[in-house]
Amino acid sequence: MANDAGTVFDLVILGGGSGGYAAALRGALLGLDVALIEKNKLGGTCLHNGCIPTKALLHAGEIADQARESEQFGVKAAFEGIDIEAVHKYKNDVISGLYKGLQGLVAARKITYIEGAGRLSSPTSVDVNGERVQGRHVLLATGSVPRSLPGLDIDGDRIISSDHALTLGRVPKSAIILGGGVIGVEFASAWKSFGTDVTIVEGLKHLVPVEDENSSKLLERAFRKRGIKFNLGTFFEKAEYTQDGVRVTLADGKTFEAEVLLVAIGRGPVSDGLGYEEAGIAMDRGFVLVDEYMQTNVPTVSAVGDLVPTLQLAHVGFAEGILVAERIAGLKTVPIDYDGVPRVTYCHPEVASVGLTEAKAKEVYGADKVVTLKQNLASNGRSKILKTQGEVKLVQVRDGAVVGVHMVGDRMGEQVGEAQLIYNWEALPSEVAQLIHAHPTQTELLGEAHLALAGKPLHSHD
């Protein structure tokens, strides 16, 4: 709890998710007196209801697929099914270990941790558990929750959100997934690996529609081969219960039936009733508006993470929280280039990217100034060993830097670190081509793609 009734903290943080706890840890390291308020569990959505548990489910699905397909590697194994209780135990053990480690970090850095539902009571205070916590600066980091549509009621049984899907005590025989973005395709991938008959309904014309169109098409091709069905380009109309499940009707009259409907149309900000508007903070559709330094129109209040209209990614929340802590501590800070943030969708195959899509690059620089190159994973020894398919696509400004890297294939999320450096350091293809990549590794894909773009292809045709 607060040290005493007269304590004024340097920084009071409302929300202990990725953005909030990152600000707390960095602020404490810089000598700030920090209070961190969280109504549920430290770590927020990412640790307990998002990044970590979903990736654990996806890895369990990967193991299931490897057991089914082991004979193609000369290994005889039998797949006997999914023990969902054991899967949840594995997932929960991962979460528990990280949770305990995070609690230890907060305690070690002498952060005042307050468990309770806080509410902003003024531009310099938060009320929680019947007490007022005062601060010279307040950081809002209350995160997000799964969204739904008007008239579509999530019951937690037949019509579920991603929160429910993470704790579902059975493997559904069939599922309709409303939404073909990151959340939708990740659950589609995991459930298919578990044995579920999956259909994705996406109103836009491609899966993962914010990615480069080439990546979307490659993922769609891979999903077809896996037997994951999808309907694109027609929006949802209604859902109704059947005797055994749910029926979904689209705007064109087409219907689909399944045991469960997963609503995966994104996440909305948690801001209603928390005193933000009463404190004079500018809002838009529930999001808190901030400048490039994460400061609101009220000088003593900042906001980060899913609460603000930036990329809803945990690592973005980390970066935004650190930026706020350093600004308040008086350090020189640099605004975040959101195009330079790596993005990974952890389905099978993975989709990873950083920088501009081809379409966006043409919009920014002009169609005649944009050059692209594709490097197929078939040319890569390590990818052949792993039996994964896909491509690396580079987007370059003619005679200039690479401004976009887009990758589809197993383990591509592990390659996006180098891609991030290429984009953020404005590397020329010739500069990356000089680097020697270890063989055989998948990192060679980026090296060879840049060799080809620099006019000296090795394991590919020019």
Side-chain angles (χ1 to χ4, degrees):
M1 276 301 302
N3 298 336
D4 59 62
T7 298
V8 178
F9 293 92
D10 295 312
L11 178 60
V12 175
I13 303 170
L14 182 55
S18 302
Y21 84 69
L25 293 174
R26 182 61 177 141
L29 204 60
L30 292 170
L32 299 179
D33 192 8
V34 179
L36 179 60
I37 301 166
E38 169 57 47
K39 68 178 180 179
N40 291 318
K41 288 185 176 181
L42 183 63
T45 294
C46 173
L47 179 54
H48 300 285
N49 302 100
C51 320
I52 300 302
T54 54
K55 278 55 182 181
L57 291 184
L58 282 158
H59 184 62
E62 181 182 357
I63 299 299
D65 289 334
Q66 287 175 347
R68 291 187 188 96
E69 300 163 3
S70 63
E71 286 201 19
Q72 63 180 298
F73 300 96
V75 178
K76 291 187 176 181
F79 175 71
E80 296 182 1
I82 301 295
D83 180 347
I84 196 63
E85 289 187 8
V87 170
H88 285 315
K89 181 183 183 306
Y90 150 68
K91 175 199 71 180
N92 293 336
D93 285 348
V94 173
I95 295 169
S96 177
L98 292 170
Y99 180 43
K100 288 175 183 175
L102 184 55
Q103 288 174 307
L105 271 175
V106 167
R109 297 200 186 172
K110 305 296 191 291
I111 294 164
T112 299
Y113 183 68
I114 305 170
E115 191 172 311
R119 185 180 189 278
L120 188 69
S121 48
S122 80
T124 55
S125 65
V126 174
D127 287 356
V128 57
N129 300 334
E131 297 186 20
R132 179 153 295 177
V133 182
Q134 298 278 354
R136 295 181 180 87
H137 202 98
V138 176
L139 173 60
L140 308 177
T142 44
S144 63
V145 290
R147 291 175 53 229
S148 188
L149 295 170
L152 181 56
D153 296 325
I154 294 175
D155 60 26
D157 180 29
R158 298 193 199 182
I159 303 177
I160 63 176
S161 71
S162 57
D163 287 352
H164 301 116
L166 287 170
T167 58
L168 201 62
R170 67 189 190 281
V171 176
K173 291 188 176 69
S174 58
I176 300 166
I177 298 178
L178 181 57
V182 172
I183 298 171
V185 300
E186 287 188 350
F187 273 103
S189 187
W191 276 346
K192 181 62 180 179
S193 296
F194 288 170
T196 303
D197 182 17
V198 179
T199 302
I200 303 170
V201 172
E202 169 55 55
L204 300 179
K205 64 179 183 178
H206 286 296
L207 298 179
V208 288
V210 301
E211 295 292 341
D212 189 271
E213 187 172 325
N214 186 66
S215 295
S216 295
K217 289 179 177 178
L218 288 169
L219 180 63
E220 289 160 13
R221 185 187 308 164
F223 270 20
R224 286 190 195 97
K225 290 183 70 173
R226 290 188 63 194
I228 297 174
K229 300 183 286 291
F230 47 88
N231 191 93
L232 305 174
T234 307
F235 287 98
F236 169 87
E237 182 71 26
K238 66 178 179 178
E240 53 196 337
Y241 296 124
T242 62
Q243 183 175 344
D244 301 315
V246 183
R247 179 185 301 112
V248 167
T249 303
L250 304 188
D252 62 1
K254 190 180 295 184
T255 62
F256 301 90
E257 292 190 19
E259 180 184 328
V260 296
L261 167 63
L262 170 60
V263 182
I265 58 170
R267 300 180 64 88
V270 175
S271 58
D272 190 38
L274 295 181
Y276 298 168
E277 290 176 317
E278 292 89 331
I281 295 169
M283 312 269 297
D284 180 29
R285 294 167 299 144
F287 289 102
V288 172
L289 301 180
V290 294
D291 64 15
E292 59 186 354
Y293 296 99
M294 314 314 298
Q295 192 165 21
T296 72
N297 61 309
V298 178
T300 56
V301 181
S302 297
V304 297
D306 289 359
L307 182 61
V308 301
T310 56
L311 294 171
Q312 290 187 327
L313 298 168
H315 46 288
V316 168
F318 294 149
E320 291 172 343
I322 291 168
L323 187 155
V324 170
E326 292 183 347
R327 173 169 56 79
I328 292 169
L331 301 185
K332 183 179 179 180
T333 55
V334 177
I336 296 167
D337 175 5
Y338 290 98
D339 288 328
V341 172
R343 305 172 294 272
V344 185
T345 304
Y346 294 87
C347 51
H348 168 51
E350 291 182 353
V351 180
S353 63
V354 66
L356 306 182
T357 64
E358 179 181 350
K360 183 64 176 178
K362 288 179 176 178
E363 182 183 317
V364 173
Y365 297 103
D368 60 329
K369 300 292 186 183
V370 173
V371 176
T372 65
L373 180 134
K374 298 176 184 177
Q375 183 84 14
N376 198 289
L377 268 62
S379 67
N380 178 258
R382 185 65 173 158
S383 295
K384 292 286 280 187
I385 290 167
L386 296 171
K387 288 187 176 289
T388 183
Q389 298 178 334
E391 282 181 354
V392 170
K393 176 180 176 178
L394 304 180
V395 180
Q396 178 201 14
V397 177
R398 188 179 300 277
D399 300 322
V402 171
V403 296
V405 181
H406 306 277
M407 303 179 284
V408 176
D410 289 347
R411 305 189 185 182
M412 288 299 102
E414 305 303 324
Q415 316 310 321
V416 81
E418 183 179 357
Q420 176 185 207
L421 297 179
I422 290 166
Y423 171 85
N424 284 288
W425 285 346
E426 300 178 346
L428 301 174
S430 58
E431 293 171 332
V432 181
Q434 292 177 43
L435 303 176
I436 299 174
H437 293 76
H439 174 80
T441 65
Q442 288 186 294
T443 62
E444 288 179 281
L445 287 160
L446 281 169
E448 295 221 15
H450 284 83
L451 277 168
L453 199 54
K456 44 183 181 181
L458 186 59
H459 294 103
S460 62
H461 297 288
D462 56 12

